[in-house]
DNA sequence: GATATTCATAGGTTTTAGTTATGGAGATCA
DNA sequence: TGATCTCCATAACTAAAACCTATGAATATC
């Protein structure tokens, strides 16, 4: 009642050999098996494809037409097999990666070159937004992986820690320079923070043990760069991750203070859906990110 | 070990529904059956096509690629089914018809119009040559049918008589006109014949009971038209089938004599390979030729 | 007339596909 | 929190499909 690929393959062999015995050999089946399959194909179609003469077998006109349609199908199926073989062996082809904004600008340049070095053909799509969106899009299947601050505490996601980074205090140049500070001295300063939604804001708040209600008097910055400029203008102080130091403090009259141990720090990791069958490759991706961060030695398991 | 169309159909259903239960319903199988087939497809390919999450099923990147390749294949197979349905119902599409030269010019005009009336879309290829070639090409599968003089006596061929036609004597105008002649009076005349190979030559020879060795002194004509012209020039007399009278005697100074009964006649029929599955249609074709000959009432079975 | 070639058919076996029953893991709800 | 529900996977068994060997019929060949 239904055409099968097997029948099409047998038909093709018979159409080429025009001899049941030889065609059956080529198909590695017995002659009666071929006879039956061809008969069933013709019955299914309701069309006679072969003209059986006692001595000579030949395609009917309909058989010729059928061959012209059947052969491309078989070819397409073969190509599907080839595709599978390639797909099986090959690594990433498309990587839809999310990154939080407080990491993206500092990590991406290194990461992109490391990635294209390891996987020259990969097509990278980067999505830069705050963690909750990244998590949603991961769960949704819109992203393959995301670089975020750990932990996420999403049971459907796997997290692999990449590195930890310390936070540093940025103060106006007019303040006394370069002296390590204690965390608790922060409470007395006007601390400028990122807008709500950024995980870095929450981390800063929790590290400093300060009142989460507008510690900067509503003067939230939309990026670390903005915060640093604000500090340079003498409005207050801020925290930034050490990774951002080079880029952000270059053009502002600020000084950088590291904290005394134990310095506040956060763990950055790669997350993906536990069910993603590319898991193995995403582990490899984590290695690449780690190298790109140039901080493989800092790795430490997330809590 | 091998992709099947069944697997592709199931894959398509699942890729569309992204739900095993519903997709299985659509395929009219149970959910476990679908599960197994999908798993086997993935194992065959060595590629995971679906990402199974507890709540949400989704195509992997590979699965998307696979769908893009599998769907056209399924579509082509469906079209193959449509083609079969059409092919089953439809009549002739290509007709490779052979005709002997002593019939062709007189029958073809009527036949072609009758054929295109009955089968407007048919593609007609006409091959005009002598009977032995036609028979060879029929047996070879180069022709579908041929209009020839019966009997052919080829076991592999079926013959259907179409009509019989009498032969008439063509004499120069200077002879006494319009008097029916006896066959045996021919022996005394110089009879002009077609070249060797034409069945009509042999038929004329046998009808007249004359010596087959060059009765015309080597003056064989290559067509009935030539023969009539030669008669008009007073070289001798000839026989032509009555069908040819109108066309061939119009422009020559000749007169036509019918024979007394029993007049010499030949049986014209349609022949095709007994093994040709279009036999039914070729019977219909015979009817069309018969009507075209305008002599359906003359039909008589071949010996 | 005997033999060989070639395809079709028949009976029995193996393989494949399908069914129902069941299990487990994660959501959902009281 | 435990009970229930949804959803897919697995297992054991059954039905269907595909295949093989043996054999037959028709024709060509010696």
């Amino acid at each position: 009642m239904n055409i099968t690929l097997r029948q099409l393959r047998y038909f093709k062999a018979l159409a080429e050999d025009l001899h049941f015995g030889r065609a059956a050999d080529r198909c590695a089946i017995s002659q009666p098996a071929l006879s039956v399959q061809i008969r069933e194909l013709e019955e299914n179609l309701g069309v006679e494809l072969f003209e059986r003469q006692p001595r000579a077998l030949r395609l009917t006109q309909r058989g010729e037409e059928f061959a012209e349609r059947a052969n491309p199908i078989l070819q397409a199926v073969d190509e599907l097999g080839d595709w599978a073989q390639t797909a099986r062996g090959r690594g990433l082809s498309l990587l839809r990666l999310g990154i939080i904004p407080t990491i993206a600008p500092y990590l991406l340049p290194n990461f992109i070159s490391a990635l294209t070095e390891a996987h020259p053909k990969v097509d990278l799509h980067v999505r830069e937004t705050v963690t909750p969106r990244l998590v949603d899009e991961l769960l949704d299947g819109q992203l393959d992986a995301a670089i975020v601050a750990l932990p996420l505490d999403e049971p459907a996601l796997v997290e692999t820690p990449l590195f930890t980074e310390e936070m540093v205090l940025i103060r106006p140049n007019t303040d006394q320079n370069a002296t390590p500070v204690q965390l608790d001295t922060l409470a007395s300063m006007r601390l400028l923070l990122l807008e709500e939604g950024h995980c870095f804001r929450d981390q800063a708040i929790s590290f400093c043990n300060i009142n989460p209600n507008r510690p900067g008097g509503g003067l939230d910055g939309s990026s670390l760069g903005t915060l640093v400029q604000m500090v340079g203008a003498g409005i207050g102080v801020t925290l930034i991750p050490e990774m951002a130091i080079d880029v952000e403090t270059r053009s502002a009259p600020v000084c950088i203070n590291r904290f005394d141990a134990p310095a506040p720090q956060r763990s950055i990791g790669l997350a993906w859906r536990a069910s993603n069958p590319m898991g193995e490759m995403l582990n490899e991706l984590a290695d690449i990110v780690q190298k790109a961060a140039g901080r493989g030695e800092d790795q430490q398991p997330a809590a």
Side-chain angles (χ1 to χ4, degrees), chain A:
Chain A
M1 201 56 187
N2 236 326
I3 300 174
T4 66
L5 284 179
R6 177 184 271 127
Q7 287 171 343
L8 295 190
R9 291 211 183 85
Y10 291 176
F11 166 82
K12 179 162 189 263
L14 186 58
E16 283 167 6
D17 283 353
L18 292 176
H19 185 287
F20 276 80
R22 282 191 291 276
D25 272 352
R26 280 212 301 154
C27 298
I29 58 171
S30 67
Q31 170 264 314
L34 181 64
S35 270
V36 169
Q37 287 297 322
I38 295 294
R39 176 163 53 76
E40 287 184 353
L41 175 60
E42 289 179 318
E43 280 173 5
N44 284 344
L45 297 171
V47 175
E48 292 191 70
L49 302 171
F50 292 96
E51 182 180 327
R52 287 131 170 108
Q53 271 186 321
R55 205 72 200 155
L57 190 71
R58 125 173 70 243
L59 278 169
T60 61
Q61 289 177 19
R62 303 282 147 79
E64 300 270 10
E65 291 176 41
F66 187 81
E68 278 175 22
R69 290 165 175 271
N71 289 338
I73 292 176
L74 290 173
Q75 194 181 337
V77 172
D78 288 347
E79 283 168 5
L80 201 55
D82 297 344
W83 168 87
Q85 187 137 32
T86 311
R88 204 180 315 155
R90 103 186 152 213
L92 289 170
S93 54
L94 166 67
L95 175 62
R96 296 164 305 176
L97 180 70
I99 313 188
I100 52 175
T102 48
I103 300 280
Y106 323 115
L107 180 60
L108 270 184
N110 283 341
F111 167 68
I112 288 176
S113 58
L115 179 67
T116 52
E117 194 179 317
H119 295 281
K121 288 186 178 171
V122 76
D123 183 12
L124 177 69
H125 290 203
V126 173
R127 167 93 167 115
E128 180 184 325
T129 187
V130 294
T131 303
R133 286 199 112 93
L134 293 180
V135 169
D136 282 350
E137 293 179 5
L138 267 180
L139 293 174
D140 242 40
Q142 296 173 53
L143 287 177
D144 300 310
I147 295 172
V148 292
L150 303 183
L152 290 177
D153 207 34
E154 271 288 339
L157 298 182
V158 191
E159 307 171 352
T160 294
L162 296 169
F163 54 85
T164 58
E165 59 177 0
E166 291 189 1
M167 307 198 176
V168 297
L169 180 68
I170 302 297
R171 289 195 295 182
N173 235 344
T174 53
D175 289 13
Q176 60 274 38
N177 279 0
T179 41
V181 291
Q182 304 291 328
L183 265 178
D184 44 10
T185 65
L186 269 177
S188 61
M189 300 173 169
R190 189 182 196 189
L191 184 62
L192 305 176
L193 294 172
L194 283 176
E195 298 164 339
E196 293 216 23
H198 291 273
C199 57
F200 189 75
R201 172 195 173 98
D202 307 323
Q203 287 148 7
I205 289 173
S206 80
F207 291 146
C208 305
N209 260 328
I210 52 181
N211 178 5
N213 294 330
R214 325 202 135 198
L219 286 173
D220 298 335
S222 63
S223 73
L224 296 179
T226 308
L227 289 180
V228 172
Q229 295 301 327
M230 288 164 77
V231 171
I235 297 174
V237 303
T238 194
L239 296 175
I240 65 171
E242 54 184 330
M243 209 178 213
I245 294 173
D246 278 358
V247 172
E248 303 299 355
T249 65
R250 190 161 292 158
S251 61
V254 296
C255 67
I256 299 126
N257 287 169
R258 293 187 172 273
F259 289 95
D260 284 339
Q265 57 181 26
R266 64 174 182 173
S267 170
I268 301 299
L270 190 68
W272 62 86
R273 285 185 305 285
S275 58
N276 191 329
M278 306 223 301
E280 206 171 315
M281 260 171 271
L282 292 169
N283 269 313
E284 192 201 333
L285 179 69
D287 287 345
I288 295 173
V289 181
Q290 229 165 32
K291 289 200 183 76
R295 303 192 43 173
E297 70 284 2
D298 262 16
Q299 184 181 4
Q300 100 181 24

